[in-house]
Amino acid sequence: MSAPTPTNQRRCDSGAIRFQRLAIAASAFAALLFQRIEPIGLILLNSVMGLLFSARGAPFILAHGVLSKLAGRSILHPGVERRSAYVLFAQTPALDRFIYALFSGVTATLVLVAPHVPTLVWTFSGFMTLMMALSGTVGFCMGAVFFAAFLGIVRKLGFQAAKWT
């Protein structure tokens, strides 16, 4: 059975989201392996562009589109064709903005502290590699977990929070 199509057409296709997560994992791994900050800068660029122009404007999402057109089909699909997995591979716009803002802040901080505390940068690059590889393969997204916790805090404070759909 194929995964249901999203009702919100502003969402990127699930293969593009998965490709982006795996590209972030590969970039973070390259930063760790070569102990260079430039791959983190690439993640920062992707995050800022995604934050400013939505997921459809993120370079890794655009790269997926180009590669898919060259291949004549989507190069990645969700690993599991179940509703629960599909939801994590087809993020809502509110979750997209939250994750792009989170990644923009974290990667900007890493770029700024790299000359002073390189061990922190390489340690976090390893953590980011593992979490994004997990997210890109099975759909478990720590950003979604943080977003749910954030919404819970916002609701407890009495503010109206963004909705998932």
Side-chain angles (χ1 to χ4, degrees), residues 26-153:
S27 297
F29 182 69
L32 174 63
L33 182 65
F34 300 114
Q35 295 197 351
R36 304 281 304 182
I37 198 65
E38 291 83 2
I40 300 294
L42 184 61
I43 298 169
L44 175 60
L45 174 68
N46 183 73
S47 301
V48 169
M49 296 297 287
L51 183 60
L52 293 175
F53 302 109
S54 84
R56 293 184 183 269
F60 292 146
I61 299 288
L62 295 172
H64 176 268
V66 169
L67 293 172
S68 293
K69 283 188 183 190
L70 290 174
R73 61 178 180 80
S74 182
I75 58 172
L76 279 178
H77 299 287
V80 179
E81 294 286 336
R82 290 194 322 246
R83 173 92 178 132
S84 60
Y86 187 82
V87 169
L88 290 178
F89 284 124
Q91 300 168 184
T92 65
L95 178 56
D96 276 339
R97 283 188 301 275
F98 182 84
I99 290 175
Y100 284 124
L102 185 68
F103 264 90
S104 294
V106 167
T107 53
T109 301
L110 292 176
V111 168
L112 291 173
V113 304
H116 311 290
V117 194
T119 305
L120 174 71
V121 175
W122 312 136
T123 302
F124 199 83
S125 293
F127 174 75
M128 194 177 344
T129 298
L130 291 173
M131 290 295 101
M132 293 311 287
L134 181 63
S135 179
T137 55
V138 298
F140 177 77
C141 179
M142 281 303 296
V145 172
F146 291 146
F147 184 61
F150 173 75
L151 289 181
I153 291 168

